[in-house]
Amino acid sequence: MRDANRRAFLKHTGALGAGAVLLPSVASCGPESTIEYGDSGGASSTLTAVIGYGNDGSWDPTQTASAFSMAANHHVYEGLLDTDPISREPYPALATGLPGPRELAGTSWRFTLREGAVFHDGRPVTADDVVFTFDRILAPDTRTLAQGFFAGWLESVRRTGARGVELVLRFPFPEGVSRLTLAKIMPRHVFSRPGAWDEAIKGLAVGSGPYRQTAHHPRSNTTFAAFDGYNGPRPPAFRKMNWLTIVDAAPRVARISGSHAGAQVADNIPYANIEQLRGTGLSVAGAAGMNNLFLMFNTGHRPFDDVRVRQALRYAIDTEKMVEVALKGHGTPASSFLDEGNPAYRRAKTVYDHDPDRARALLKAAGVSGLKVDILSVNVSWIVDCLPTIKASWDAIGVRTTLSPQETTAVFTKLDQKRDYQVVAAASNPNQFGLDADLIMRYNHGPANLWTGYTRWADDPVARRLFRDMDRATREPDPERKKAMIQDYVDVVAEQAVLYPVVHNELMTAWDPRGLTGIRAQPYPGINLLQAEPV
């Protein structure tokens, strides 16, 4: 998902917003640059939200996996279809309807665009914009993140009229309907300009959704205003929104609590603060899903090319202690790559229960002694809370361990620059993209994706067999047979432990019920306010 124009994922960059005045030059903007636009009227009130993740990752919808920008893009952009943030059921967004049963069983899906849909600069949304977006996603030379979610089953997208498009599939693939929310339709007249994709990475956001971006301050906040030209199914309920990025836990909690609270909703609530916040009259709810702490090994750095070493370090970790101490009981040790609530879940054949004796034996069998490991980690607050358990567990089997938590964007910039590393600890939640297991596995283990590149594992014979098994499962028409095939190759991923969860945890959201209604805690980072309303 990355080369020069794939610096999308979590790259530390400059920023800008989008509004009535389009596309100011941002080539010289540094990380702290700020661009603001005129305000607009619209709905009835102002909402302030606190997001526990950085807003300085990529804002390009075809590329990003940044929690902040993905959540924001759901408010700024629309797909042909979008999905409910909790049930993940698809609904018509820019399109006027869903494919019928006959279409789902075939290889041609036709859509008509909503009449009167316009982008935030007032230009109409056309079939050409849809084709432009999908061409960007499918083009082999760009290798976008979204390409891995579409290219295996979607052959092409063509124009059938000013407001009509046809999606031509390689084979029947009903699961693709819910994935269409990942193809946010972007205006060709904006993003076909030279350098525009770099500007999208830096923060340029021009969509047709209910909110338009009005200002973007990296590492501080991003603001939005109701878009008066929106005529779709999720109208804006707030005149303005101000989303603050506060990665550190204490100031994030302080911003939503107390007599001088400056926000009405916040995600990524620390478990230790749940009862405190409830005591002040706030609602706090959790949702469990794919969210996880994972370890990623550099198989190009010995001895991590040896599966026994990777397995040893996994068996050494006291995951029950991590759940008890760091997560306050709001999590479970990973028993598969998939979380236990996923429809395709099956307990993996290899489960890394705490077994330090087995860990020592594996290291001895691999001929490894005196190992020193530096864990390069993101600084997401709950991840930092988990790190001491990993260090204590590895120290206990004779592996001298140091911890190097850094800003998320700094970690992934180092990985993008192909710097050497031993082990990375970070948070991941493929549920941001959907629930189907084929998509989830391809996000982390696709043959040419970013993560496989980070691990230096793509050329391993086991990896090559895995990729072939994944392709066969994608094409399998029988749902139960497909599920079994996916479960089988998930076992391979578990055994290899190249990139694999340590724990799956519950994500907590807090809000003031005196000011907001319609908030639902979601099991992946960020918030969705498309069905929220002021009280």
Side-chain angles (χ1 to χ4, degrees), residues 274-514:
I274 293 173
E275 294 308 317
Q276 168 203 342
L277 294 178
R278 286 174 175 164
T280 67
L282 296 180
S283 295
V284 184
M290 187 70 192
N291 204 67
N292 68 86
L293 160 64
F294 69 85
L295 292 181
M296 178 172 66
F297 292 93
N298 178 1
T299 65
H301 187 125
R302 292 183 178 180
F304 307 111
D305 57 332
D306 191 323
V307 65
R308 294 170 296 184
V309 174
R310 302 193 298 266
Q311 290 181 339
L313 294 175
R314 294 306 310 265
Y315 280 118
I317 300 173
D318 191 344
T319 52
E320 294 287 354
K321 180 180 179 181
M322 182 181 291
V323 169
E324 177 186 358
V325 175
L327 304 183
K328 311 299 181 187
H330 293 272
T332 57
S335 57
S336 168
F337 193 86
L338 304 172
D339 66 279
E340 295 180 13
N342 188 282
Y345 169 83
R346 181 183 71 192
R347 182 177 172 87
K349 290 181 179 179
T350 304
V351 177
Y352 296 100
D353 296 323
H354 184 217
D355 193 341
D357 290 337
R358 188 171 186 177
R360 293 186 188 97
L362 283 165
L363 288 177
K364 183 177 180 180
V368 173
S369 62
L371 181 60
K372 298 179 182 179
V373 177
D374 179 67
I375 302 177
L376 177 63
S377 168
V378 301
N379 67 341
V380 174
S381 56
W382 73 270
I383 297 291
V384 173
D385 291 342
C386 291
L387 293 178
T389 300
I390 300 177
K391 174 176 168 53
S393 297
W394 289 0
D395 286 346
I397 64 166
V399 176
R400 294 179 58 185
T401 309
T402 57
L403 305 175
S404 300
Q406 301 175 22
E407 288 190 358
T408 299
T409 47
V411 171
F412 284 93
T413 294
K414 291 179 180 179
L415 296 176
D416 287 341
Q417 295 172 348
K418 302 187 184 303
R419 296 190 204 175
D420 192 35
Y421 74 94
Q422 292 179 296
V423 185
V424 165
S428 178
N429 195 328
N431 285 167
Q432 293 180 107
F433 307 106
L435 295 178
D436 74 85
D438 178 271
L439 178 152
I440 288 170
M441 295 304 299
R442 287 185 178 278
Y443 170 63
N444 279 127
H445 295 92
N449 77 5
L450 176 68
W451 296 104
T452 305
Y454 287 161
T455 62
R456 285 49 158 191
W457 192 56
D459 293 329
D460 188 284
V462 177
R464 291 198 293 268
R465 288 196 299 272
L466 172 68
F467 303 149
R468 290 195 295 270
D469 290 344
M470 293 173 69
D471 287 341
R472 283 194 290 267
T474 298
R475 289 178 172 269
E476 173 57 47
D478 179 77
E480 287 305 311
R481 175 61 182 154
K482 174 179 287 191
K483 178 179 177 180
M485 294 170 72
I486 290 172
Q487 290 169 336
D488 287 345
Y489 73 64
V490 169
D491 285 340
V492 175
V493 170
E495 178 190 48
Q496 292 297 307
V498 174
L499 189 160
Y500 200 72
V502 178
V503 290
H504 291 105
N505 72 315
E506 189 177 20
L507 291 177
M508 311 302 297
T509 302
W511 69 94
D512 186 349
R514 296 159 295 193

Side-chain angles (χ1 to χ4, degrees), residues 64-118:
T64 192
S66 164
F68 191 109
S69 57
M70 280 197 71
N73 282 343
H74 285 309
H75 297 74
V76 173
Y77 290 96
E78 296 176 280
L80 290 171
L81 308 179
D82 282 325
T83 60
D84 180 88
I86 307 301
S87 71
R88 312 312 285 263
E89 288 295 318
Y91 63 87
L94 273 172
T96 57
L98 301 171
R102 182 174 296 180
E103 285 182 288
L104 292 179
T107 57
S108 173
W109 297 350
R110 288 176 175 262
F111 296 98
T112 301
L113 299 180
R114 185 177 73 234
E115 188 172 3
V118 296

Side-chain angles (χ1 to χ4, degrees), residues 125-191:
V125 181
T126 70
D128 292 331
D129 298 303
V130 178
V131 172
F132 168 78
T133 300
F134 278 99
D135 283 350
R136 157 76 170 174
I137 290 171
L138 296 175
D141 57 337
T142 58
R143 295 180 63 178
T144 61
L145 169 61
Q147 184 184 85
F149 304 148
F150 289 94
W153 57 275
L154 182 60
E155 176 72 33
S156 62
V157 177
R158 69 181 187 89
R159 182 182 188 273
T160 60
R163 293 193 297 117
V165 295
E166 179 187 19
L167 276 60
V168 180
L169 280 60
R170 300 180 187 276
F171 48 85
F173 191 68
E175 297 95 328
V177 168
S178 62
R179 297 191 189 187
L180 293 183
T181 188
L182 303 174
K184 299 301 187 188
I185 305 306
M186 306 174 75
R188 185 179 67 168
H189 65 276
V190 172
F191 292 101

